[in-house]
Amino acid sequence: MERTLAIIKPDAVERRLAGPIIQRIEDAGFGIRAMRRVHLSKKDAEGFYAVHRARPFFASLTRFMSSGPAVVLVLEAPDAIKKWRTLMGATDPAKADAGTLRKEFAQSIERNATHGSDAPETAAYEIGYFFSGLELI
């Protein structure tokens, strides 16, 4: 079994899509090992996305991610990272496959409804950013 971090981003929470997205997560066979609603400060968002600090979209991304509540989850399944990234679809919803979360729920590349870890090391860091070991079931 593998774990990954998932985020239902502020755009999706604002549009009341957290429930349908969580339902899709469960329907896909993921176990939800932890879940929390958060409202990141700008500083928290900058810390979480620090790896992108030099990228041109960093300021816009952290402003967006601190613009409203989000839902953070720890998902567990065999090959969870790949499975979650497949369910999410491409970052650009215009390029996402039919039936993926981003194709159905994203509004743009930035307002793309969900986030997911891209590697086991990233997942470990991202899960630890939001959850202590005692919170994981």
Side-chain angles (χ1 to χ4, degrees):
M1 294 298 260
E2 183 176 64
R3 290 183 173 175
T4 190
L5 184 83
I7 301 177
I8 302 172
K9 293 182 177 183
D11 60 309
V13 172
E14 177 184 10
R15 293 170 34 234
R16 303 174 60 112
L17 297 172
I21 292 171
I22 292 168
Q23 186 64 58
R24 294 277 301 277
I25 289 168
E26 290 185 324
D27 290 348
F30 288 97
I32 298 174
R33 297 295 169 238
M35 180 168 54
R36 172 183 298 135
R37 183 178 165 113
V38 298
H39 189 149
L40 297 175
S41 68
K42 184 86 154 86
K43 183 177 177 182
D44 291 335
E46 288 171 349
F48 182 74
Y49 287 106
V51 67
H52 298 301
R53 187 170 300 281
R55 307 287 291 271
F57 58 81
F58 180 76
S60 176
L61 173 63
T62 56
R63 187 171 42 256
F64 163 63
M65 288 301 294
S66 61
S67 70
V71 177
V72 292
L73 308 96
V74 176
L75 306 181
E76 185 177 75
D79 206 16
I81 294 168
K82 181 178 179 186
K83 184 175 180 177
W84 173 236
R85 293 183 71 78
T86 299
L87 181 60
M88 285 192 303
T91 303
D92 181 349
K95 297 177 183 174
D97 291 338
T100 62
L101 295 172
R102 288 177 172 158
K103 187 66 163 186
E104 294 182 23
F105 300 128
Q107 298 171 306
S108 68
I109 290 176
E110 184 173 89
R111 297 177 65 84
N112 62 9
T114 57
H115 165 88
S117 306
D118 62 2
E121 302 78 25
T122 309
Y125 168 78
E126 292 181 347
I127 289 168
Y129 197 85
F130 290 105
F131 299 99
S132 73
L134 293 174
E135 296 172 299
L136 302 173
I137 54 173

